[in-house]
Amino acid sequence: MRIDRSRLHDTVLAGVVAGASVALFVLYGPDRLQAEGVPVEGMRPPDPFGALLLVLACAPLAVRRRWPLAALCAGLVPETLLNAMGYGTGVSSLSGMVLLYSVASYRGLAISLVALVLTLIAFVTGAAGGPAGVASWNEYVVVAVVMVAVWGAGRSLRLRRAYLEELRDRAARLERAHAADTRAARAEERSRIARELHDVVAHHVSVMTVQAAAARRVLAADPDLAREALSAIEHTGRLAMAEMRNIVGVLRTDSRPGARAELGPQPGMRDLPALVEQMREAGLATRLRVEGEPVSLPAGVDLAAYRLVQEGLTNSLRHAGAGAKAVVTVRHEPHELDVRVEDDGRGTAPGPQPTPQSTPQPAGHGWADGWGAAREPALPPGHGLLGIRERVALYGGILNIGPLPGGGFEVRARFPLKDGQ
């Protein structure tokens, strides 16, 4: 719609300029100019050919935006003929100025310079070859200054238009970059929440499953022991719900002014003793060894190390077998935190009858839940291994997961620390 309107405006402009030129051409002939005291030596009287040249000089204004250089060249030819043959030009010279301005404002620097040179040459050729000639060099200078000024105005408009277009493009690029950063941040946050939920659910549900199986087996023989197992299941479930509320609390929205989500501290290395005790109650004999002087850890490293121990112990509980023992070793070094979870994996060894503290497990130590495929190749990688790998890699750590040479299984990560933190 804008292009059509512009063409309509240009067409109307061409008609107005052509009509005014023809009217002045007819009304102000040599006789009337001479009567008013204007020198008209060698000036031709109006005739149809002169009027036709005036119309042809003004007609290119209709396409000045679409083909500015071609329109200028088409208008310079009849304009030069009018000057060379001594016809009165009316206001057709205005058409040449508008066309020169159009080329400068819609085309590049090289083309606009060519248009300026062509316009000057055409004017000098027509004026010098005309019957009346030119009175003095002052007229050449004035016309040249006016043409250069018109050309400069067109170039200024083009540069301003290009500058505004660049600003719009830059704003659009910044908006797209901001949208992309927002999507990336949301995806990263969703991935983080998914890892946290997986770790919480996998650990606590595994513990509850083992305790429930033990309670079912001793329900008839020892109701008091089964009752203790059920109490442990209830406690574990409450812990799981509390951790899940802490994780997803930031996602909750409330329309009430000043309302806040329920937040709580994330678990860390300080909670390892409670985690080890929980695994003992679930039936996995677990020991915790701390070597070196504990230091204050960054929050991210603290959480990542805790989740690694939690995932490793959960894997041992589910797959190490009855009678298996696990050892959690935390070594604090000046520039590194070394965390290791290893078990003996004696799943085939006969164990005692199932109790809440000693629960039978499947034979063998499979790498379920994404821990690998060496012993159970049919199991695909899952979220456990991927989550641990992402956590360790995020902080520049080194992760080793696999069976031990003498039997058993090991999960080990080394986190680099800067300045002891």
Side-chain angles (χ1 to χ4, degrees), residues 255-323:
S255 58
R256 295 173 298 175
R260 290 187 177 182
E262 297 180 9
L263 302 178
Q266 291 282 11
M269 301 299 286
R270 65 185 180 278
D271 300 309
L272 285 185
L275 177 63
V276 169
E277 183 63 28
Q278 185 185 41
M279 300 308 295
R280 289 173 183 167
E281 294 178 356
L284 178 66
T286 308
R287 289 191 302 118
L288 173 63
R289 296 190 305 183
V290 179
E291 302 176 2
E293 185 67 23
V295 296
S296 178
L297 299 174
V301 175
D302 195 23
L303 176 60
Y306 176 84
R307 293 302 186 195
L308 181 138
V309 174
Q310 185 183 56
E311 190 72 20
L313 291 178
T314 302
N315 182 64
S316 299
L317 176 67
R318 295 172 60 185
H319 305 291

Side-chain angles (χ1 to χ4, degrees), residues 28 54 65 111 137-138 158 161 164 172 178 204 226 230 242 246 257 266 271 274 277 359 407 411:
Y28 289 89
L54 284 174
R65 299 175 195 259
I111 296 178
W137 287 98
N138 292 335
R158 176 175 175 81
R161 189 186 298 121
L164 294 177
H178 177 70
H204 290 294
L230 293 176
N246 291 337
Q266 291 282 11
D271 300 309
E277 183 63 28
T359 305
V411 179

Side-chain angles (χ1 to χ4, degrees), residues 109-129:
L109 179 61
I111 296 178
S112 62
L113 285 174
V114 171
L116 177 61
V117 172
L118 288 177
T119 304
L120 291 173
I121 292 175
F123 170 76
V124 172
T125 302

Side-chain angles (χ1 to χ4, degrees), residues 39-43 83-86 126-135:
V40 291
E41 181 180 356
M43 184 175 180
N83 291 326
M85 298 175 65
V134 177

Side-chain angles (χ1 to χ4, degrees), residues 103-181:
V103 176
S105 61
Y106 289 101
R107 291 296 181 265
L109 179 61
I111 296 178
S112 62
L113 285 174
V114 171
L116 177 61
V117 172
L118 288 177
T119 304
L120 291 173
I121 292 175
F123 170 76
V124 172
T125 302
V134 177
S136 65
W137 287 98
N138 292 335
E139 294 189 12
Y140 286 101
V141 175
V142 172
V143 172
V145 170
V146 172
M147 288 183 177
V148 172
V150 171
W151 179 86
R155 288 300 304 168
S156 177
L157 178 62
R158 176 175 175 81
L159 293 177
R160 179 174 177 79
R161 189 186 298 121
Y163 174 72
L164 294 177
E165 186 66 26
E166 176 64 24
L167 288 181
R168 285 192 291 267
D169 291 342
R170 184 180 303 176
R173 288 195 301 268
L174 290 176
E175 185 176 356
R176 289 194 296 268
H178 177 70
D181 292 342

Side-chain angles (χ1 to χ4, degrees), residues 315 318-319 365-382:
N315 182 64
R318 295 172 60 185
H319 305 291
H365 187 184
W367 296 5
D369 198 22
W371 289 93
R375 302 186 187 183
E376 296 182 14
L379 293 177

Side-chain angles (χ1 to χ4, degrees), residues 1 19 47 184 206-207 283 306 317 321 333-334 365 383:
M1 178 61 67
D47 57 28
S206 296
V207 173
Y306 176 84
L317 176 67
E333 299 181 1
H365 187 184
H383 294 287

